Amino acid sequence: MSHRQVMKVLSGLLLGMFVAILSSTVVSTALPRIVADLGGGQSAYTWVVTASLLSMTASTPLWGKLADLAGKKVLVQSAIVIFVLASAGAGLAQSTGVLIAFRAVQGIGVGGLVALAQVILASIVPPRERGRYSGYFGATFAVATVGGPLLGGVITDTPGLGWRWCFYVGVPFAVIALAVLQRTLRLPAARRPDVRVDWLGALLVAASVCLLLVWVTLAGDSYAWASWQTAAMVGGSVLLGLLFVRVEARAADPVMPLWLFRNRTIALSALASLFVGVAMFGSTVFLSQYFQLARGESPTTAGVMTIPMIAGLFASSTVSGLVITRTGRWKAWLVAGGTLVTAGLGLLGTMRYDTAYWQLAVYMGLLGTGIGMMMQNLVLATQNQVSAEQLGAASSSVTFFRSLGGAVGVSALGAALSGRVSHYVEEGMAAAGIPQSGAAGGGAIPDLGGLPGPVRQVIESSYGHGIADVHLYAAPLALVALLLVLAVREVPLGRRAVGE
């Protein structure tokens, strides 16, 4: 395909990706207001994000396998329809429980959009040229990520709109993406007469991941980390995971072929993606909370203040994609990215509620630059290792592990944040001689405007210190990702598309 033909197809895919990323980022700055209006606490705050990540994670391998067996165009359009319906339902939610349920359905659609966009790109563009187009995906991710918080903040602060329009705003874009793909996407039929969808494998991997995330979210709050509930839930998750491996080893068309992970590059890239997901999703979620609850900024201002991270992501993903296309070499970018992510998280672990903004801007810039170098290029390295028949499964496997890292990271870091904020609030109240009311601890999302001055300062300080702690906890995981990419064996990118 010529560059012009590819760009026509990509116009629809990029719009779909924009909608998918926007659905998460447009809500991030509005979450404190949403959870407070619906009467939720820190657990609900975490689950509004985790629910969509969880369903996205669980559904990604299935979308990828279906792409290897059926028509990719119908699948990506189905994902958009699911997303539109769920977004409308989330906007109408009257409780955190209903909102979380619709976010879970929304995540299924997002999983399809993210997985299938990568698969379709790899079907029409050879690996050597794919870095160039992967840069467009990275740039789209950056624009949606920077535009989302800004748009969400403006919508939330605008009289007559409010936070519910954060869910409605993506619907028109999704409908346009549907129409564009209908007009531009022309792929040969990929249906096979012996199609066998591994429903049992998909069910087992979803159940294993769900049980693990429920445990991570509730442990330390509803029950102790060392308790019979922990033993039962972790043991159950491990058992379901082992059953999944057994089923996949015997399935005719496994949803996640185990032989893929015998390939060193694929195995290491998947594991590195797991830890990159923690940094990517965890930081974007909790930085918005930091600017609103530790520094007292409005949702709009909170979105503006995250621009340095997104600018770094935008620049590094675009530049790395162009250079990789020119040279065919990609490992150096992964190593540099892992180094910057580790450094960025470690430096953000030192921030407090009164840290100078220019310092935060530098730290966020380092983190965003590192994520941009790693995110798309891990998928690219994996796609370079497989044939056309396994492209969907291989691509979705890396995306699955990245989403899994994000879901587990947001849940675990959210649980840790709740505990650390409660601890710092107790310390701060005692030091100031203020009676502990319990209403402003780590369980409930506080309304800073309604708090007395001394109490507000304690709350802001507690959130600043607590959110710094969760970044510090994530830094060693980024270091593990760096060690994994160092062990990857570089294979120069090929010049033929997988369909040739």
Side-chain angles (χ1 to χ4, degrees):
M1 298 178 68
S2 67
H3 174 68
R4 182 176 180 180
Q5 290 173 317
V6 171
M7 289 306 300
K8 284 183 178 179
V9 174
L10 284 189
S11 62
L13 294 178
L14 292 174
L15 192 55
M17 280 285 289
F18 178 79
V19 168
I21 304 304
L22 188 71
S23 70
S24 297
T25 59
V26 75
V27 176
S28 60
T29 49
L31 270 178
R33 186 82 54 86
I34 294 172
V35 175
D37 285 353
L38 296 180
Q42 182 65 48
S43 178
Y45 184 104
T46 301
W47 268 100
V48 170
V49 178
T50 302
S52 60
L53 285 176
L54 172 59
S55 56
M56 172 182 162
T57 302
S59 64
T60 294
L62 185 57
W63 285 111
K65 172 51 64 177
L66 290 173
D68 288 333
L69 304 178
K72 298 176 181 65
K73 180 175 181 176
V74 173
L75 289 174
V76 72
Q77 290 178 318
S78 300
I80 293 175
V81 171
I82 293 171
F83 172 84
V84 168
L85 296 177
S87 297
L92 296 171
Q94 299 298 317
S95 68
T96 54
V98 174
L99 175 60
I100 290 168
F102 276 111
R103 287 284 288 172
V105 178
Q106 193 179 48
I108 296 174
V110 172
L113 285 168
V114 172
L116 294 168
Q118 297 285 352
V119 173
I120 293 171
L121 172 65
S123 298
I124 60 177
V125 178
R128 182 63 179 269
E129 297 294 322
R130 208 173 295 151
R132 169 189 188 183
Y133 297 103
S134 294
Y136 296 149
F137 279 102
T140 299
F141 180 93
V143 171
T145 306
V146 68
L150 289 172
L151 183 60
V154 171
I155 291 173
T156 303
D157 291 336
T158 299
L161 292 180
W163 60 261
R164 295 185 184 277
W165 281 92
C166 291
F167 298 102
Y168 301 145
V169 71
V171 173
F173 293 102
V175 173
I176 293 172
L178 190 67
V180 170
L181 287 172
Q182 177 64 31
R183 181 178 180 84
T184 63
L185 185 55
R186 299 286 187 271
L187 290 174
R191 300 182 184 278
R192 286 170 22 194
D194 58 340
V195 171
R196 294 182 183 179
V197 179
D198 182 19
W199 297 109
L200 180 58
L203 176 63
L204 286 172
V205 71
S208 177
V209 172
C210 289
L211 190 57
L212 181 65
L213 291 182
V214 170
W215 166 69
V216 167
T217 303
L218 299 180
D221 183 16
S222 300
Y223 46 80
W225 287 96
S227 63
W228 69 266
Q229 291 96 332
T230 290
M233 298 179 82
V234 173
S237 180
V238 171
L239 179 60
L240 289 168
L242 293 174
L243 287 174
F244 168 72
V245 172
R246 182 178 178 85
V247 167
E248 293 303 275
R250 298 184 175 187
D253 275 314
V255 68
M256 190 181 295
L258 299 181
W259 67 263
L260 285 173
F261 300 99
R262 297 173 192 162
N263 182 296
R264 178 177 175 178
T265 298
I266 295 177
L268 293 174
S269 296
L271 287 174
S273 295
L274 178 74
F275 296 110
V276 170
V278 176
M280 183 173 71
F281 290 104
S283 291
T284 54
V285 169
F286 295 117
L287 278 175
S288 293
Q289 199 171 17
Y290 167 81
F291 284 118
Q292 291 183 64
L293 298 180
R295 301 179 77 100
E297 304 292 351
S298 69
T300 302
T301 305
V304 172
M305 297 180 93
T306 60
I307 286 179
M309 183 174 72
I310 310 309
L313 194 157
F314 180 93
S316 64
S317 62
T318 304
V319 172
S320 66
L322 292 173
V323 175
I324 288 171
T325 295
R326 188 173 302 142
T327 65
R329 316 295 296 193
W330 44 266
K331 182 175 178 178
W333 294 98
L334 293 180
V335 173
T339 303
L340 292 177
V341 170
T342 304
L345 287 173
L347 290 169
L348 285 171
T350 66
M351 67 184 178
R352 297 295 182 263
Y353 78 105
D354 56 353
T355 299
Y357 177 71
W358 71 265
Q359 292 178 266
L360 297 176
V362 172
Y363 303 162
M364 289 187 292
L366 292 175
L367 178 61
T369 301
I371 292 174
M373 290 179 180
M374 297 189 77
M375 183 178 60
Q376 296 296 333
N377 294 330
L378 285 169
V379 178
L380 179 62
T382 298
Q383 291 175 339
N384 194 44
Q385 300 289 314
V386 298
S387 63
E389 292 74 17
Q390 297 297 336
L391 185 63
S395 302
S396 62
S397 294
V398 175
T399 306
F400 167 81
F401 279 97
R402 186 176 67 205
S403 301
L404 177 61
V408 173
V410 171
S411 295
L413 295 177
L417 175 62
S418 181
R420 299 309 294 163
V421 169
S422 294
H423 171 72
Y424 291 132
V425 167
E426 290 175 5
E427 279 190 346
M429 293 294 192
I434 301 172
Q436 177 71 37
S437 65
I445 302 297
D447 178 9
L448 295 179
L451 296 177
V455 175
R456 173 171 178 162
Q457 184 174 356
V458 171
I459 298 301
E460 289 181 340
S461 177
S462 299
Y463 271 94
H465 202 164
I467 294 172
D469 284 351
V470 300
H471 283 87
L472 206 57
Y473 298 156
L477 302 179
L479 179 60
V480 173
L482 172 59
L483 296 176
L484 288 169
V485 298
L486 281 170
V488 172
R489 185 182 298 113
E490 184 171 29
V491 177
L493 300 180
R495 292 185 176 273
R496 294 177 65 84
V498 294
E500 294 184 67

